[in-house]
Amino acid sequence: MTPNDYLDAHQPRFLQELLAFLAIPSVSANPAHRPDMARAADWVVARLTAAGAENARVVATEGHPVVMADWLHAGADRPTVLIYGHFDVQPPEPLDLWTTPPFAPDLRDGRVYARGASDDKGGMLIPILALEAHLATTGTLPVNVKFFFEGEEEIGSPSIPDCVRAHAEALAADMIFSADGLQWAPDQPQILEALKGILKLEIVLRGPRADQHSGLHGGGITNPAMALAQLLASMKAPDGRITIAGFYDAVIDLAPEDRAAIARIPYDETAYLAETGAPAAVGEPGYSTRERLWARPTLDVNGLTSGWQGDGSMTVLPAMARAKITCRLVAAQRPETVAQAIRDHVRAHTPAGVTAEVTISKGGSDPLLLPAGHAAAAEAAAVLTEVYGRAPYRTRVGGSIPILSTFRDVLGLQAVVLGFSHDDENLHAPNEFLRLDCFRRGQSVYARLFERLGGTVRR
Amino acid sequence: MTPNDYLDAHQPRFLQELLAFLAIPSVSANPAHRPDMARAADWVVARLTAAGAENARVVATEGHPVVMADWLHAGADRPTVLIYGHFDVQPPEPLDLWTTPPFAPDLRDGRVYARGASDDKGGMLIPILALEAHLATTGTLPVNVKFFFEGEEEIGSPSIPDCVRAHAEALAADMIFSADGLQWAPDQPQILEALKGILKLEIVLRGPRADQHSGLHGGGITNPAMALAQLLASMKAPDGRITIAGFYDAVIDLAPEDRAAIARIPYDETAYLAETGAPAAVGEPGYSTRERLWARPTLDVNGLTSGWQGDGSMTVLPAMARAKITCRLVAAQRPETVAQAIRDHVRAHTPAGVTAEVTISKGGSDPLLLPAGHAAAAEAAAVLTEVYGRAPYRTRVGGSIPILSTFRDVLGLQAVVLGFSHDDENLHAPNEFLRLDCFRRGQSVYARLFERLGGTVRR
C-alpha cells in the first residue's frame, strides 16, 4: 500500500476527525472561548501522536497555547522541514447569516461548512495526515519534520514571536511550509511570491464627558462621530489614494515585468464583483484591480462605533467615536514607520473640539517578498505541477501571515505557503467552507513533497 | 380671601396631593406600567373635578390615555385658554443612583425628590391649583379654560397628533400655554421665543454582500466604512459649517436686535465646558456658542455602526456602514425640504463602489418661532415681570417639543411655554427634583395670568 492508497482508504475517518476538530469553537479573539482553545490544542496533540509524530506537546505562551511535535529519524543528511498552521478561528458573528451553525459542521455538495473549515483547521490537518500515511505504510519518512501550530493567528499572533524566539533551537529547520494558505483554483495551483504586512490600530476621539442631548448641545460642541468621519476622510482621497504624508515612501513599485506577469494570469472583473457582491471595483488610480489587491498598500476601516447603535433613534451627541483600522503593507514598508506617519497625520488633522488617541495594536508584521530562485518554492512548484498537471501561477496576495515574518527574522527562513483553501470559501465570513476534494488533493501534495524532499540532500 | 391667599392657605394639602401623584409610577416607555398610566389618568381626572373643572374625562388613544377637561363659563367674549402638560414620566433607571427611591417622593432642602417631580407632574398640577383658587374664592374664573394632559410625552407622543386632530373642535382655543417647561433660574423668568424642529434619518452604505477579508479585498473594492466617513465629511466643513446645498436656504437669520438680546443674557463658556466636559466649544463660524445652540440649525451624527464592534481587532472590510443623524431645524426650515436636500447630497456625494440608502424616520417636527408681538406671550411676560420682579429673558432652545408643532398645525396656535422647572433638576436622570418655592410661585403666575387674560377681550 502506498501512502496515497492509504490516504484513499482512510478518507472517511479523516473527514470524521475534521468534523470533530471543527466542532471545537476555538475563537481566539473571545476570552470566553479560552477553554475551547485548550481543548483544540489537546485535540491537535492527540492527533499528531496518533499519526506517529513524537514529542507532541502543548507549549504555553503568554496568550493561547502552541502545539509542537516532530519526527526526526530520516537522518542528519536529510533536510528538516518545519510545518506551520493554526487551530484558532475567526469569531463566527453575525450568527444569523449562517445557513447552519458555525460550530455544527455540515456536509453538503462535497464541502464541509463550519467556521475554521477553510482557515485553517482543514489546512493544518493535511500535513499530519500525509505524515500518518507515510509512517503507516512504510514505517518511516524520507525527511525530518517539525510541526508548529499556533492558536493566535486570527488575533495577529501577539505571543508567537516570543514563543518562536524561546524555541528557536527546537524549531531550527532547512525550510518552512505554511499549511495555512490558498490555491488559485481547484484545478490550478499557485506559488505565492508576496504577502502583505499588516498594521492594526484604533483611533478614538473624545468630546464631552458623556453622551449629550443633541438638541441642547448640538452646534455648541464638536460631535466626535462627525469629527471621526472628517479625520478618516482626510486619510483617503475620493479616488482611493491614501493621503497620509509618507505612507507610500518605502513602497517598491511594480517593475514592468512584474506587471506583465500579473497581467498574464486570467482575471475577470465581473466574476470578482459577483464573488464579493460589490457594485464596482474601485481603488487607487494607475493600477489594475489585481495590482491593487496584490501589490499596493491599503488602509481599511474594519469597524466604526459611536453613540446609539440600536434600532430607532436616540438623539445623542456621542461622547466618543472609534475606528478600527488595518493597513496592509507591501515591501519594503515597515509597520512602525507607517504607524508613525498615521500618528503624525492624526495629530495634524484631528478637528478642533475633540481629543484623539491612537493605539497601535500588537501583531503588526512586515510584508514578505520571496527572493528569486528560492529552493523550497521550486520543489513545491514541481510537486504542484505533478499533482495538478499544471504549472502553478506565480501570485501575490493582499493578506498577511505575520508569523512568516517572525520565522524569517528568528529562523532565517522564508516560508513557502502551501495550503489548499480557496478565496471563495468565506474565510472570515458567515458560511465558511472547505472543498473536500481539495482537502484530499492537499494530502497527496504533502505526501509527495515529503518524498521529493527526501530525495534531496541537506543543503 | 384672594386666590393668592387661598393658594397660601392650602399649600400643605397641595403638597400632599403632589406627593400622592408622584407615587404613581406612570412610566410610559415600559408596558409593565400600563396600569399605572391608567391610575395616573384617573388621578388627574379626579383632581381636575375636585378643582371645579367640568367634563374631566379620560380619552382613549391608540397608545396611552389623554385627560381632557374644561371650564367655559367666563362668557363668549372672554378668551379661551388651552393648557397642556403630561402625566407620564421617564423610566427611573439606573435605580442605584437615586438617594431615595424614585416613586417614594422625599422632601428635603425645600425640594421634592421623585421621578416626574420636575418633568412634568409638578408643572401640570400648577394651573389646576390656580383654577381651584379662583373658583373656590370667587366662584368664577375670568377666562375660559381647557386642559389637555397627555401620557406619551416621554416616548415622543406617537398617538397624540391623531388624538388632537380627532378632538380639534373640543380643543379650539385662543391661546395655548404649555405647563411643561423651564424657567431660566429660580429668580429669573424667561419667555421661550423659539424651539428647534427636528429631522431624524439614517444613512446606510452597502458594498460587498458580506463582510470581506480586509487583506484579500482591501484596495480592490470600496470600503463602506471609509465611504461613509467621506460622505459624512462632505456634509460639514472642518469649521463646522454644514455644506449640504440648500441646507440653510430657509433659515431666518438672526437680526441684529435678536443677537443683541441674546448677548445681554449672561453666558459663561468655562461653566458650559465644565458642564459638558467638552475640551472646547467649536462650531459654525460667525456665531457665538449660544447663538449656535439657540438659533442655528445643526446636523449631528447620533450613532455610527460598521464592521467589528468588539474588543480587539477583526480584519474585515465591512459589508455595511450606517450613520444615524438628527438635524435640528430653525424657522423657517421644514423637515421635508431639508430631507430632500440631504437625499440630493447623498446622491451626488456617495463614493463610487457603494450604494446608499437614506431613511427618514417618523417623528420629525417643524421649528417654532414666536412671531413678534404674540399676544399670549406678551401677557405671560407681563405676569412674570410682576411676580418675579424681573423682566423675563427672551430665550431660545435647541430642543424640540413636537406636540407644539401639532398644536400649531391642527389648532392654528403658537403655544407659549410657561413652566416652572429648571434645567438643573435632573430631568431624565436620577434624583429628579422640583423646587417647592418655584412650585408655589408658578401657582401665583397662572392665577394672575387668568386674571389678566380675563381683562382682555377676545380677539
Side-chain angles (χ1 to χ4, degrees), chain A residues 239-292:
Chain A
D239 69 6
R241 187 171 168 84
I242 296 158
T243 48
I244 296 165
F247 184 87
Y248 291 104
D249 279 1
V251 171
I252 300 171
D253 208 355
L254 286 168
E257 54 271 28
D258 297 328
R259 303 187 78 163
I262 290 173
R264 274 195 296 274
I265 301 174
Y267 174 71
D268 177 347
E269 188 135 305
T270 305
Y272 178 63
L273 295 180
E275 175 199 339
T276 58
V282 177
E284 189 188 0
Y287 298 92
S288 70
T289 301
R290 179 162 282 162
E291 287 171 346
R292 297 195 308 270

Side-chain angles (χ1 to χ4, degrees), chain A residues 244-421:
Chain A
I244 296 165
F247 184 87
Y248 291 104
D249 279 1
V251 171
I252 300 171
D253 208 355
L254 286 168
E257 54 271 28
D258 297 328
R259 303 187 78 163
I262 290 173
R264 274 195 296 274
I265 301 174
Y267 174 71
D268 177 347
E269 188 135 305
T270 305
Y272 178 63
L273 295 180
E275 175 199 339
T276 58
V282 177
E284 189 188 0
Y287 298 92
S288 70
T289 301
R290 179 162 282 162
E291 287 171 346
R292 297 195 308 270
L293 291 170
W294 285 6
R296 297 296 298 170
T298 63
L299 182 151
D300 269 288
V301 178
N302 309 122
L304 291 176
T305 304
S306 183
W308 179 240
Q309 304 271 317
D311 286 339
S313 65
M314 187 164 172
T315 54
V316 294
L317 190 162
M320 184 278 290
R322 184 180 65 200
K324 292 175 186 272
I325 291 175
T326 45
C327 293
R328 301 287 176 161
L329 311 177
V330 303
Q333 289 179 300
R334 300 293 304 258
E336 313 83 69
T337 315
V338 174
Q340 191 54 49
I342 292 175
R343 285 186 192 283
D344 292 345
H345 182 94
V346 169
R347 195 171 302 116
H349 292 82
T350 297
V354 292
T355 59
E357 189 184 349
V358 178
T359 307
I360 307 294
S361 307
K362 289 177 71 172
S365 72
D366 288 340
L368 290 173
L369 186 61
L370 217 55
H374 186 278
E379 294 294 336
V383 173
L384 288 170
T385 306
E386 270 183 48
V387 174
Y388 280 77
R390 302 184 63 154
Y393 289 154
R394 302 194 74 86
T395 62
R396 301 182 180 212
V397 72
S400 312
I401 313 184
I403 185 70
L404 302 189
S405 304
T406 300
F407 289 148
R408 189 194 59 178
D409 297 345
V410 180
L411 307 178
L413 298 169
Q414 292 251 39
V416 176
V417 176
L418 190 60
F420 298 90
S421 296

